[in-house]
Amino acid sequence: MAASTDNQYQQLLAMDKQSLIYNTEPNWCQLCDNLTSIGLGVVLVNCLHTFCIGCLKVSLLNATTIRCPFPNGCYECIGSLEHREIEALLSPAECHDFMNRQIAALEKDTDSMQKQLDLLKIASDASVVPNPEPVECPICMDTCEAYKGVTLTQCFHCLCCDCLIELIKLAEDVDVKCPIKDSDDKACESIIQHREIKSLLSADEYNRYLERSLKKAELSAENAFHCKTPDCVGWCLIEDNVTLFLCPVCKAQNCVPCGALHAGKTCQDFKHSKEMQTMDKLSHEEVEKMLTDGVAMRCPKCRIALTKIAGCDAIVCSICKTQVCWATKGPRWGPRGPGDTSGGCRCNVNGQRCHPNCQNCH
C-alpha cells in the first residue's frame, strides 16, 4: 500500500510540472463528440474534462472567457483553463489576443464591482494584466496608453511598464511593494507578485533579481554559512551539530566550527598553524607593545592577539570565531550565543552603552 501511495504521489508531482495533461486512454471529445486517440486529447487539470487538441484551440481562439467550454450548452462547467494550459495551446500573439478579448468583454459590463471580480479571476491565471484603458502613470505622470501598462493584481493600481521595471530593478528588498500613496500620503502595502516580476524583466535582469533575493535571504538568516572559497556564491543553513559543509557550487569542504577550508588537517592543527602564522608576522615584543598601547587585545576565549583597524566595536576572532566587544575587551554575548546579554558586554541593556567609548558594538 505504501509503495502504491508513493507512486501516486510521484505521478501527481509529475502532472503538476506539465503544461498540458494528455489523455492516457481513448476519450470522447466534449466538443466534436469524436473519439480521441491516446495522446491526442487534453485533460483540463481544473475540471478533468477532455477535448481533442484541435477543438480546444479553436474554442480558445474565439473565446472571451477562461471557462471550460464543456459541453455544448448542456450546462456550464464552473472549471477554468489554467494559464499554463492556455500558453501551451496558443502562440504568444494568440495569447495576447485572447487577453485583449477578455478585457474588451469586461468593458461592456456596467457593474464595476463585477468588473473587479472578473479582472481578479483573469489576473489569477495571467502573468501580468494590462490596463484596459488609458491612465496617467502616478510615477512619471505621463499618459499610459491602453495595454501599455500593468494593473497590479493585489491592489489594482496601474503603472506604465517602464516605471514598474525601474522600480523592481532598483528595489533593495526582495519583496517589492507597490509605490502608490493615497490622498492621506499612506503607502500601499501590496506586494508585486513574483510572476509579474518575472514577466516584466529580461532574462539577465531577472537573474540579477534572483541573485539579490538569494543574498538578502542569506543575510537575514541567523544560521547561514557562506562557503569560504573566494568569490564562491555557495551557502547553506546550518543545523545543530553540523560540522561539515560540502559546497554544492565549488565542491570545497568547509569546516563549520572553524569557518575555514582546512581539508586534511584537524581543527586543532589548523588553529595552531593560524596562530603560528600570526606570530611569525609579529614578534612577541611587538605584540606586547600593541597590547599595552591599546591597538590590540587578547581574545577572551583563545587569547590570540586581535586588532581593529576601523569600524564599529563588534569584532570576531579569526581563530575561535568568538564575537568580541572591543570597548570592554570581553565577549559580546553570553554562553547561549547572540542575544544572550547575561555574560556579554550588555550593550544597550536598559538603554545604556557597555562602555563610555563604545562605538556601536551591537
Side-chain angles (χ1 to χ4, degrees):
M1 180 64 72
S4 176
T5 302
D6 183 65
N7 184 50
Q8 290 179 353
Y9 177 68
Q10 295 300 326
Q11 289 177 349
L12 287 173
L13 288 180
M15 178 181 292
D16 188 56
K17 296 177 182 178
Q18 298 176 32
S19 297
L20 292 175
I21 308 302
Y22 296 99
N23 59 322
T24 57
E25 58 183 28
N27 293 99
W28 295 98
C29 173
Q30 301 292 347
L31 289 175
C32 67
D33 292 327
N34 290 326
L35 188 64
T36 305
S37 302
I38 295 175
L40 297 180
V42 174
V43 183
L44 299 185
V45 173
N46 192 264
C47 58
L48 302 182
H49 286 142
T50 304
F51 306 90
C52 64
I53 296 174
C55 284
L56 188 55
K57 181 172 181 178
V58 169
S59 175
L60 284 175
L61 290 175
N62 296 286
T64 58
T65 176
I66 59 174
R67 286 282 181 87
C68 166
F70 176 85
N72 282 328
C74 292
Y75 64 85
E76 185 179 16
C77 176
I78 62 172
S80 61
L81 280 83
E82 295 194 353
H83 184 61
R84 58 178 175 174
E85 295 172 325
I86 297 173
E87 282 190 326
L89 288 163
L90 303 181
S91 68
E94 290 169 339
C95 281
H96 180 73
D97 291 340
F98 178 76
M99 176 62 71
N100 288 346
R101 288 197 302 276
Q102 292 182 83
I103 295 174
L106 285 178
E107 291 177 327
K108 297 178 182 178
D109 189 351
T110 57
D111 188 341
S112 60
M113 179 58 71
Q114 187 60 44
K115 277 189 177 183
Q116 286 192 340
L117 292 175
D118 288 346
L119 183 59
L120 181 60
K121 177 59 181 175
I122 295 172
S124 67
D125 289 313
S127 297
V128 292
V129 179
N131 54 314
E133 56 187 26
V135 294
E136 183 182 88
C137 174
I139 302 299
C140 65
M141 308 306 291
D142 287 341
T143 299
C144 180
E145 297 179 5
Y147 312 121
K148 298 296 184 182
V150 173
T151 302
L152 299 180
T153 57
Q154 272 205 345
C155 57
F156 293 107
H157 287 140
C158 185
L159 297 85
C160 71
C161 287
D162 291 340
C163 287
L164 193 53
I165 290 172
E166 286 303 310
L167 173 71
I168 297 169
K169 288 165 60 177
L170 297 175
E172 295 182 359
D173 292 331
V174 177
D175 291 332
V176 185
K177 289 187 177 181
C178 169
I180 307 303
K181 294 184 178 180
D182 60 21
S183 56
D184 297 327
D185 204 36
K186 184 178 179 181
C188 178
E189 295 296 324
S190 297
I191 302 297
I192 300 174
Q193 299 298 291
H194 182 266
R195 64 173 181 267
E196 295 170 326
I197 293 175
K198 185 176 182 180
S199 179
L200 287 164
L201 300 182
S202 67
D204 289 341
E205 291 167 344
Y206 181 65
N207 286 334
R208 286 193 291 271
Y209 167 79
L210 291 181
E211 289 174 2
R212 188 170 76 238
S213 302
L214 195 62
K215 186 174 293 185
K216 185 77 173 182
E218 179 185 358
L219 292 175
S220 61
E222 294 183 0
N223 55 339
F225 181 90
H226 197 98
C227 178
K228 300 306 175 182
T229 301
D231 300 323
C232 180
V233 297
W235 67 281
C236 69
L237 297 177
I238 297 298
E239 299 178 351
D240 294 340
N241 302 321
V242 173
T243 60
L244 186 66
F245 166 49
L246 182 61
C247 178
V249 179
C250 68
K251 308 304 179 184
Q253 184 173 300
N254 290 256
C255 176
V256 175
C258 295
L261 306 171
H262 62 77
K265 286 185 180 181
T266 65
C267 293
Q268 191 62 38
D269 290 341
F270 171 73
K271 292 176 182 179
H272 179 70
S273 64
K274 288 287 290 183
E275 187 171 358
M276 292 303 297
Q277 290 174 8
T278 303
M279 296 306 294
D280 286 343
K281 294 178 181 178
L282 296 172
S283 67
H284 179 72
E285 291 78 14
E286 289 175 322
V287 172
E288 290 300 322
K289 186 177 187 308
M290 293 174 67
L291 292 170
T292 302
D293 294 343
V295 295
M297 63 166 284
R298 292 285 184 188
C299 171
K301 184 175 181 180
C302 68
R303 306 304 299 166
I304 192 172
L306 304 175
T307 60
K308 181 173 80 77
I309 299 175
C312 68
D313 283 343
I315 61 175
V316 179
C317 175
S318 60
I319 301 301
C320 67
K321 304 303 176 184
T322 297
Q323 297 189 40
V324 182
C325 172
W326 180 266
T328 62
K329 303 296 187 287
R332 288 177 63 204
W333 307 112
R336 291 191 298 274
D340 178 15
T341 57
S342 64
C345 68
R346 297 180 61 79
C347 194
N348 286 333
V349 175
N350 297 324
Q352 299 294 319
R353 290 290 189 184
C354 62
H355 190 277
N357 297 330
C358 174
Q359 298 185 53
N360 194 29
C361 69
H362 279 203

